[in-house]
Structures are given as structure tokens and as C-alpha cells.
Amino acid sequence: MLEKYSFVPHADILVQPPAQPEEFDVAIALDTATQNRLGKAGEAVRSAKLWINIDHHPSNPKYGDLVYIDEHSPATGQILFELMKSEQLPMDRAIAENLFVAISTDTGSFQYPNTSARTFEIAAELIRAGVDVGQLSQQTYENYPRRRIELLRALLDEMRFDAGGKIASFSLQLKTAAEIGAKPEDNEGLIDHIRAIQGVIVAIFFEELADGKVRVSMRSKSESADVCAIGQKFGGGGHKLAAGARVRGTLAEVRERVLKEVCHVIDCNS
């Protein structure tokens, strides 16, 4: 079970992927721009007879046998809601709560630019199905473990500004994460703290991984600074305003390579 989302109905059915690949009839990839982002789970189900890929990332290469990509949808949860409605599938409170959390987190709590009127209409339908917005939002956004705040403090100590304050970044070393006892899920949303700084156009989070790669997460406040295009140069992808990649190299090497690309895009000399 993922601790961060342990409060959603039926969270107990989530399990760690098996250590060795197993036989499965169907594998469904949701909100996963590239197949390698499935990590150990992808390896465990790689022999599945049928692959279904449902996503909203424009950079998705359309892997799989049955593919539905709606790059205009602000959230994969919204795609799933529309699918359920079109097929006249039942909608109980448990399903509504899971979909609400999925849509809320994928749209930055309904703040990202591609959030549409339809998104709010769906949210209203989910509320009518039994969602308690106050309680669910508190559990989603105001229920973090103390170690996450310790992690944020360590990251802010590493904060760096480039391009006259247009680029803000911080880095996480493996040893720092181990000392704090941080889990991968603790990183989610921390980049928003530096994206919110006045004058910052692009925010970047560099995380050292155990496999000799660095996870790069990028957020932009301007469509002219297309971080998806930057991510694709490093084998990743995502959206114009939110993208990432896993890049082989040391933390210092990857940071300088990525910063060079971002600097070029936002014209550091201006």
C-alpha cells in the first residue's frame, strides 16, 4: 500500500510488484507517458497478453495494444470518468473518491491551465456521488509525515538560482534521502515550493537514483518554456508545463546538462 494514498477506499488492494515476472492476461498503464516509467511493475507484467495504455501526456509514444491518449484532457482520472459514463458503469462513493483524488492531484488541485469547465462539472458530479471535499482534500494535502518536511528543509538548503532568478532548482543526494528516511512518494509536490517564487519561470528537481541515473522533474510557468520538449531530449516527456526524465550520469553532470538546455530555452542572456 502506498502510504500517501492509504486513505482512499480499497487502497489495500495495491501491492508491491513481484520480484520475478509473472504471467498476466492484461496490463493497464494509466497516466504513464513512457513505458519505462512503470519501473519494476512494468518488468513484472511485461509478458501480459494485452497491454492497455490510457493517458493524457502529449509525448506518449502510444505503446500497447489498445491505446487511448487524450492530450486535451487535464487528468487521466477525467478520461476514466468519461469512459465510465459512456459505458453506463455504476458510480458509488468509493469510486467517486478515488476519481476525485486522481483528478485533483493531476490538475494541481484544479489550478493548472488545462483545467476546464468540464473538469469542474465532473467534480460536481463526484460530490453528488458522495465525495466530502473538505475531508478528502485535507487527507490529500494536509496529512504529510514529518519526514517530508525534513526533506523539504534539506532541499531548500540546496536551492540554487540561475538565469537571473528565472530558473530555480534543488538536488537530492541518495545519502541525504537515506539519512532522513525519505520515501519516493515524499518528493511529490515539493517542486511547487520553488516554482511559486516570484520571477521563476522554470523549476527543476534533481534526484539521485541508485541505478546511476538522476530523476529530473521540471515545472514551467510559461508555455514558451516547453519543459516537455526539454525532457524529450533526455529520453523523457510529459506536458509543456510539467515534464521529466531519468538521465544517466552523476548529479552534478546531469544538473549542468539540463540547466544548459533550460537556459537556452528561456534565453538566459535576456
Side-chain angles (χ1 to χ4, degrees):
M1 181 190 304
L2 191 64
E3 180 183 346
K4 177 176 171 56
Y5 296 111
S6 60
F7 61 89
V8 299
H10 307 304
D12 56 301
I13 68 174
L14 294 175
V15 297
Q16 291 293 327
Q20 298 297 324
E22 296 181 7
E23 293 292 324
F24 292 92
D25 293 322
V26 180
I28 304 174
L30 300 173
D31 201 31
T32 308
T34 57
Q35 201 166 13
N36 60 13
R37 288 204 67 198
L38 292 168
K40 293 179 180 179
E43 285 295 309
V45 301
R46 64 188 178 195
S47 62
K49 299 179 180 67
L50 180 70
W51 273 84
I52 300 174
N53 173 10
I54 301 175
D55 190 23
H56 68 133
H57 291 94
S59 62
N60 192 301
K62 298 179 173 57
Y63 59 88
D65 304 299
L66 298 177
V67 180
Y68 186 85
I69 311 296
D70 181 359
E71 61 185 64
H72 300 294
S73 178
T76 298
Q78 182 164 322
I79 296 173
L80 296 178
F81 175 89
E82 301 286 22
L83 174 64
M84 293 183 67
K85 291 288 286 187
S86 68
E87 297 301 312
Q88 298 183 324
L89 298 175
M91 177 72 65
D92 59 19
R93 179 172 179 171
I95 295 171
E97 288 186 353
N98 276 276
L99 286 175
F100 188 90
V101 171
I103 295 170
S104 178
T105 53
D106 218 359
T107 58
S109 192
F110 303 94
Q111 296 181 72
Y112 293 161
N114 57 353
T115 304
S116 64
R118 179 58 181 157
T119 309
F120 284 101
E121 290 167 358
I122 290 171
E125 289 196 48
L126 296 175
I127 292 169
R128 285 192 285 270
V131 166
D132 182 329
V133 177
Q135 181 184 44
L136 206 55
S137 295
Q138 185 180 64
Q139 290 173 312
T140 305
Y141 301 111
E142 300 176 357
N143 192 36
Y144 297 117
R146 179 174 172 174
R147 66 174 184 272
R148 184 177 184 270
I149 305 305
E150 298 288 351
L151 175 59
L152 176 60
R153 178 167 63 179
L155 288 171
L156 291 176
D157 283 341
E158 297 287 329
M159 185 169 52
R160 162 179 169 175
F161 293 94
D162 293 275
K166 296 176 185 176
I167 304 171
S169 63
F170 46 39
S171 304
L172 177 62
Q173 299 180 51
L174 277 170
K175 66 176 184 178
T176 303
E179 289 167 358
I180 295 171
K183 297 182 179 181
E185 64 197 72
D186 295 331
N187 300 339
E188 187 176 341
L190 295 181
I191 194 172
D192 294 333
H193 289 275
I194 55 175
R195 177 176 59 178
I197 298 171
Q198 186 178 35
V200 169
I201 297 174
V202 175
I204 315 170
F205 179 17
F206 299 97
E207 180 189 359
E208 186 179 31
L209 301 176
D211 61 359
K213 294 182 180 181
V214 175
R215 180 186 288 116
V216 181
S217 300
M218 297 177 286
R219 300 292 183 270
S220 172
K221 290 196 285 192
S222 171
E223 290 200 357
S224 63
D226 184 350
V227 291
C228 180
I230 296 171
Q232 287 178 313
K233 290 184 178 182
F234 294 95
H239 303 284
K240 279 189 174 184
L241 302 183
R246 293 188 178 206
V247 186
R248 186 163 297 282
T250 68
L251 200 54
E253 291 169 349
V254 173
R255 181 172 56 219
E256 293 310 311
R257 288 170 58 197
V258 172
L259 283 173
K260 183 178 179 180
E261 288 292 336
V262 177
C263 193
H264 175 71
V265 168
I266 65 172
D267 189 7
C268 290
N269 297 319
S270 62

